[in-house]
Structure formats: structure tokens, C-alpha cells
Amino acid sequence: MKKTPIELLAPARDAATGRAAILHGADAVYIGADRFGARAAAGNSMQDIEELCRFAHLYHARVYLALNTLLGDHELEAVRSLVEESWNAGVDAIIFQDMALLQMDLPPIALHASTQMHNVEPDHIAFLESAGVSRVVLARELDLRDIGRIGRQTGVELEVFVHGALCVSYSGRCWMSLALGGRSANRGVCGQPCRLPWRLVDERGGEICRDRHLLSLKDLDRSGSLPALLDAGVTSFKIEGRLKDMAYVKNITAFYRQKLDRALEARDDLCPASHGRCAYTFMPDPAKTFHRGGTEYGLSGDRQPIWNMDTPKALGERVAVLEGMEGGLLILREKADVAPGDGLCFLDRKGRLQGLKANRCEGKKIWPSPGALTGLASVDVAGSSLYRNHDVRFRKLLDKEKSSTRKLPVAVRFKEDRDGFLLEMKDLASGCTARAYALLERVSASNPDAAVAGIRRQLEKLGDTPFVAEDIRVDTDSWLIRASELNGLRRKITADLMALRVKAFHRSFRRTPSDGFKAMKYPHGELDASFNVLNRMAGTFYEKHGAKVLSMGYENGGLHGGDCVMITLHCLRYALGACPRHHGSGSYENWRMEGKERVFTLVFDCVACRMRILLA
């Protein structure tokens, strides 16, 4: 039975992080070029991307280029050229947002529709499939029933986010950063106003709260639902974080590799999408790298607390409860495993985040860094949970260059014929076989068993290569063979086998559009600014499929009072216990969210359980 490959997809800020992700278990990585990616601060040269592709393809892992920004007319030719460069460099797919790419004359590279394309409705996804899109990155807001329904109605590959920071808005439908400072998220320069503190007032102007991070969400963590997502038809599990550091990528990738492998072991019809087995020098734990607290974000269809309005920063793992302060020291209610150098934090009684470094730890006492607790009294800290957001011992393990190994199993055979000796190495995952023949001096061994054991020892020395010998056969008479000669043969054959594996890797190709696609209608007949049309080529594409562009995207036409800058599942009425539908209290009138420079009107769609944020 042919098995369906299942992919763990990790972020790569740069080529070094991409290599680390692969060595820690990623089946694929996504990376940005030096332009046109949704993370402008995470760009890379094409030379670095090409080197990453060669490394990834050795393990039959893949590299995707994030080209998921909206494009101006003057940029289209540069984008087409970049896609061609990417194809020549070995990139396996382009993650795109702008429909102009479906109009371009591109090389046969696979296209993945970014979550910023608002991939929510089955008919929209079916349209993209008919256009030749190989994969659709689903909106984070979809629950298991939605995902299953899309999986049953389309044949396109489905990718979902399973871990990392959450956009509070439906992806691709957020213009708050553009409204506040002219920094467009759709152009890769989001200012993250959703993490800022705001003042909230009701319809009469009464203050509900102030200086709270009203739109700040917890981080996504769907590690407990991987089997259910597999059942729903998901084939790619994506970790967010192209701006995250290498320690985060190592830890989270290893954690999900172990989780996903256990889920795949229970299925006869599924297998990992790449080759190799990983071994780690640390115990993966998501709480020990950047972590705002976890949420499945409505995956089960139920409403759960998804927000963290106290702070947009990472609290980390809870390690103790504070009893109070004594002589400038923190006193714990119970002894905690805290080490000097650990970064600690807690929320004081006013809800303010207090951070410190542990200089010394002894029993239930912690000596903080000088000046860290200035102005605080014992009553301010008593009863607060103490969190560790920097584990110095864990970080040292992650900072090691070889915090993981990824090995490809091989079978090795050494045999002789009338003239010389043949060394053969077969890769058990791909079936590739490399052979090396040598005319070696034959010297009879006085101890045949020891001679054979010596040959085996030399042949199994594969430590610096990606291979590990699972089976070694030595079929010779009792000859003494110099270790240097065996080592030379082994080095040659491993280099040849690596080259064969890369050559045997099958790249993905763009799907051919369906026969009736030219006459296919786009599901929406009229497109307003929320459809993000910024260039004539994208407009022409829509018009060819029966849709009329009523207005260009906000990046071209600007925002005006009353324009909707965000739609979100995060409802402040619900979060604050004032939802008429769920709590039986409060009214259906609008609220206002006030910042230093802008005021936004909050409109509550209680039928759909969503909140709309309008520029006031």
C-alpha cells in the first residue's frame, strides 16, 4: 500500500536556522529571500537559499520560498525573475499571496496559497486547486469540522499552523498597522499594534479598562490534536516563527517531530515526508523557549480563553508561587529548581510585569539582579506565580552545535573477487547504492576473526556523515587490510552515496490547471478593498474569471473613517464577561478602543461570534 507523506514544516530565519531545523526533524522549511516576503526582517541571499536546498535534498526534505506579500505593478517583473532564480536554486515551492503570480509565465515550480489569501471557504479553495495551486495554507480560525469538510471537497494538499504566535485578525485581512503608522502587514512590515496597550470605553464613554493589551493572544499550541488533524486530511503541520531564534526552532521542531512520529506510528497509511532518524541531546519542551501560554484557538469548535491581556511578552514556564520579599530577596512558598542566570518574571498585584535575573538561589530564597525589584513591597508580590522565561541550563544545551543528529540507515557489504575488493553501501530509505572497487594488497591474517572484526570497525566509522550502518557484512577470506585503505574507500563511497541521494530527490512541479479552469468563475462577483488587489495583473486575473474589482487594496487607496481594519474571533465582550449571548449580561452596542494616536470602533457580530474593528 502506498503511504501518504506527512510533513513537519519549520521556519528558517536564515540558512543556518534552516539546517538546524532539518537536523532536528523538519521535513521542510520555509525561508524568505531578500525581498517580497511577509517578514521583511528575515531576508536571505539566493546563494544561501541554494546551499540550504542542497542540504535539505540530501534528506529528501524540501525548501519553500515565502513570497507572500502584495505586489505593485512596478514589482511584477522583479518577482517573476525572483521565482525563476528560486527554481534554478532548487527551491521546491513558492508560498504566495498575490493572484498576479497565477497570470505570470513562471517555471514549473509548485505554488502554495498563503494563509493570507483568506483560505476559509471550500469554493475559494476549490478555485485555487483548479488554477494549479498544489497546496493551500488554511486560515487558523477553521475548526476540525471545517478542515474535514474542505479535505473531503477538494484534492489539494492542506497545510495548517500548529504552533507559534497568532495573528488576532483573519490573516491577510488586517490593516491596523497600516492605519496606525503606514506599515502594511501585507507588505511584510507589520508594526504589531495588536500587542500594544489600549484603553477600552463603552458606548456612553465610560471607561471599562485602560493600559491593557486588549488584542494580544496566547500562542498557538495544537500538539495535542495532531491525530485529529491527520484524520481531517491535513498533510503539512506548520510551525510559525521566521523571526524566532535558532534555540526556538530547534526546541519546537524536535518537540513536534516526536509528537508527529508517535501519531504516524498509529497509522498504516501515513509516513514522514523525508528521511532520517533524529536523536537529541536535550528533552524538547515548548515552555522553555518563547511562549505566551498555549491555545488550540477554537480547533474543537468551542470557545476557550485565547487571550493574554496582561502582557504580550513570554512568561515562560511556571516554577513557583511567591510568598513575599525579605531584605530585597524573593521568598518562595516551596523550593524551586531555579539556577543562577535564569530569567524570571511575575505579575505584581497591579498586573504589571516584573522581570529579573536570578543571581543566586538557595532553598526557598532567590537573590535577584541589582535594582530589579526597586519600589516593590512584599505585599506587591505575595501570591504571584513566578515564571521562568530563560532557562540558562536548557539554553546551553540548545546552543551546542550538535544538539541533534539526523542519521540515514545504510547496509554495508565488503567482499572480494579474484582481483580485488568491492565496498558497497545501500541507502535503506531511497534504495540508492554506491560502490567502490579497489586492488588492495592481500596479506594473510594470523587471527582471522580479529581481522574481520577490524574491517567491520573501520567500515562502521560513519560518525561525521549523515549515515549510520544498520547492517554490515564482511565476505572475505582472512586478509589483513590497512585501516588507511579502508578509510579511503569508506570516505569515497559515502560521498558518492550523498550525491546519489540528492540526485534521486524528486522535486515538486506546479499542477496543471484543470481543463475547465479558463471558464471557471471566481466565487465572489464583486471585490472590495479587502480582497487585496494592488496591481493590474491581479485585477485582470479576477476579471477573466467573472469578478469585478470595485476598489483597489487599502495600500493603494488608503484608509478612511469607517473602514474595517480587522475581523477577529477574539471578542472583547466575551473575554471580559459582558457577552449578552454567552453571559446573559451587557448590551449589543458598540465599544471604542483608544490608543495614543487612533481610536477604533468595536462592532460585535454576535450571530457569527466575531468582532469587527473599524477606524473611527
Side-chain angles (χ1 to χ4, degrees):
M1 177 179 67
K2 186 177 181 181
K3 296 187 176 184
T4 301
I6 301 299
E7 176 185 276
L8 176 60
L9 176 58
R13 179 176 187 145
D14 50 34
T17 309
R19 289 171 64 98
I22 292 165
L23 288 176
H24 287 73
D27 297 302
V29 297
Y30 60 105
I31 191 170
D34 55 5
R35 55 202 186 280
F36 306 126
R39 296 290 184 272
N44 296 275
S45 71
M46 196 53 63
Q47 180 180 350
D48 285 346
I49 293 172
E50 183 174 3
E51 291 175 2
L52 177 60
C53 290
R54 284 197 293 268
F55 181 79
H57 294 168
L58 171 64
Y59 295 93
H60 288 205
R62 301 180 186 276
V63 176
Y64 306 140
L65 186 73
L67 209 162
N68 49 341
T69 55
L70 299 179
L71 308 169
D73 287 302
H74 65 288
E75 296 170 319
L76 297 179
E77 177 52 33
V79 168
R80 189 206 62 76
S81 178
L82 180 62
V83 174
E84 190 166 331
E85 288 180 52
S86 304
W87 171 255
N88 293 334
V91 169
D92 297 288
I94 299 293
I95 305 170
F96 78 104
Q97 179 186 183
D98 201 303
M99 287 289 201
L101 269 76
L102 296 177
Q103 280 280 99
M104 292 182 184
D105 181 18
L106 300 177
I109 193 167
L111 296 178
H112 295 178
S114 169
T115 187
Q116 292 162 278
M117 297 181 77
H118 200 64
N119 299 320
V120 175
E121 300 162 349
D123 52 359
H124 167 76
I125 293 168
F127 178 86
L128 293 174
E129 180 184 12
S130 295
V133 171
S134 301
R135 178 184 297 180
V136 168
V137 188
L138 296 176
R140 296 170 176 90
E141 290 76 12
L142 297 179
D143 61 28
L144 283 169
R145 289 171 296 179
D146 296 327
I147 296 170
R149 184 170 64 252
I150 291 169
R152 291 188 297 271
Q153 294 181 13
T154 64
V156 70
E157 294 177 10
L158 300 182
E159 177 179 306
V160 300
F161 281 91
V162 291
H163 197 94
L166 278 165
C167 289
V168 65
S169 171
Y170 274 91
S171 297
R173 299 286 173 105
C174 181
W175 302 274
M176 180 173 273
S177 179
L178 181 68
L180 282 174
R183 298 178 60 181
S184 169
N186 287 310
R187 294 281 293 165
V189 287
C190 180
Q192 296 189 336
C194 52
R195 302 295 182 183
L196 295 175
W198 297 87
R199 177 174 180 260
L200 187 64
V201 299
D202 62 22
E203 57 271 13
R204 295 176 300 278
E207 183 175 278
I208 300 171
C209 60
R210 66 164 55 235
D211 294 331
R212 297 202 70 190
H213 303 271
L214 298 175
L215 301 181
S216 185
L217 300 185
K218 297 178 181 179
D219 284 353
L220 190 66
D221 183 348
R222 291 174 168 173
S223 58
S225 295
L226 302 188
L229 287 165
L230 288 170
D231 291 340
V234 173
T235 54
S236 179
F237 296 81
K238 188 172 193 172
I239 299 167
E240 180 276 339
R242 276 204 297 124
L243 294 180
K244 297 292 197 329
D245 63 16
M246 187 178 292
Y248 169 91
V249 172
K250 286 181 176 182
N251 182 31
I252 303 303
T253 302
F255 177 77
Y256 276 87
R257 178 75 273 160
Q258 292 179 338
K259 283 276 189 178
L260 190 55
D261 282 347
R262 285 194 288 270
L264 295 180
E265 286 169 4
R267 299 280 299 261
D268 294 330
D269 56 333
L270 307 176
C271 65
S274 62
H275 301 159
R277 294 193 296 265
C278 296
Y280 310 108
T281 63
F282 63 98
M283 186 72 69
D285 184 351
K288 289 184 176 292
T289 44
F290 193 93
H291 185 65
R292 296 186 181 98
T295 172
E296 286 205 325
Y297 201 46
L299 188 64
S300 63
D302 299 328
R303 272 208 169 270
Q304 300 169 344
I306 60 176
W307 56 87
N308 186 354
M309 299 188 207
D310 294 321
T311 175
K313 297 181 180 180
L315 291 175
E317 58 180 333
R318 184 178 179 275
V319 293
V321 176
L322 294 170
E323 184 68 33
M325 291 173 57
E326 183 180 293
L329 308 184
L330 285 178
I331 310 300
L332 311 181
R333 288 185 180 174
E334 64 280 327
K335 186 178 179 180
D337 182 23
V338 177
D342 280 354
L344 305 172
C345 63
F346 62 91
L347 294 166
D348 64 23
R349 64 174 181 170
K350 294 182 180 179
R352 298 170 303 190
L353 184 68
Q354 304 290 342
L356 61 124
K357 184 173 78 171
N359 278 357
R360 180 181 163 196
C361 311
E362 192 175 292
K364 297 180 182 180
K365 295 181 180 180
I366 295 176
W367 282 256
S369 50
L373 304 179
T374 301
L376 288 178
S378 184
V379 68
D380 292 318
V381 305
S384 296
S385 293
L386 183 68
Y387 299 90
R388 174 168 49 204
N389 53 20
H390 180 80
D391 186 329
V392 67
R393 292 166 295 181
F394 188 74
R395 186 60 184 250
K396 284 180 179 178
L397 292 175
L398 290 178
D399 286 344
K400 291 181 178 179
E401 184 177 352
K402 292 187 178 180
S403 51
S404 172
T405 58
R406 183 169 181 170
K407 294 296 185 179
L408 301 160
V410 294
V412 181
R413 187 179 182 189
F414 185 73
K415 59 183 179 180
E416 66 174 310
D417 61 16
R418 185 175 57 187
D419 299 316
F421 296 87
L422 176 69
L423 179 60
E424 183 177 275
M425 186 178 290
K426 181 178 181 179
D427 173 51
L428 299 180
S430 68
C432 295
T433 302
R435 298 177 178 86
Y437 190 80
L439 299 173
L440 304 179
E441 181 182 359
R442 298 171 190 258
V443 178
S444 296
S446 58
N447 187 335
D449 292 340
V452 171
I455 293 172
R456 290 179 60 87
R457 281 196 302 272
Q458 296 304 317
L459 295 181
E460 68 185 6
K461 291 181 179 179
L462 299 172
D464 291 334
T465 75
F467 303 112
V468 60
E470 283 204 345
D471 178 43
I472 298 179
R473 289 175 54 191
V474 178
D475 299 325
T476 72
D477 288 332
S478 305
W479 304 112
L480 282 176
I481 300 175
R482 288 196 295 268
S484 60
E485 293 178 322
L486 286 173
N487 292 342
L489 274 178
R490 188 192 65 240
R491 285 192 292 268
K492 180 182 186 308
I493 202 169
T494 53
D496 289 347
L497 189 57
M498 289 168 66
L500 287 172
R501 276 192 58 84
V502 173
K503 187 176 181 180
F505 173 74
H506 296 293
R507 294 180 70 183
S508 302
F509 291 91
R510 182 177 176 179
R511 293 172 50 155
T512 303
S514 63
D515 291 339
F517 177 67
K518 287 186 177 180
M520 191 173 184
K521 299 292 185 183
Y522 186 67
H524 300 276
E526 296 183 338
L527 312 182
D528 60 18
S530 69
F531 283 82
N532 290 332
V533 181
L534 286 197
N535 59 74
R536 288 190 295 271
M537 187 175 284
T540 299
F541 174 82
Y542 281 118
E543 289 167 2
K544 283 182 177 180
H545 294 279
K548 184 177 181 180
V549 179
L550 300 179
S551 56
M552 300 294 280
Y554 290 121
E555 284 80 2
N556 272 3
L559 287 153
H560 304 90
D563 285 339
C564 180
V565 300
M566 182 191 299
I567 300 175
T568 174
L569 291 184
H570 171 46
C571 175
L572 284 171
R573 281 197 189 278
Y574 179 83
L576 296 174
C579 172
R581 178 177 172 185
H582 289 91
H583 303 123
S585 62
S587 69
Y588 290 96
E589 296 185 32
N590 301 334
W591 288 353
R592 292 200 316 276
M593 195 174 70
E594 300 177 351
K596 293 181 179 179
E597 299 178 0
R598 288 283 192 175
V599 176
F600 295 93
T601 300
L602 307 182
V603 179
F604 301 97
D605 181 354
C606 293
V607 175
C609 242
R610 296 175 185 174
M611 182 175 74
R612 293 161 55 86
I613 301 180
L614 278 58
L615 184 60

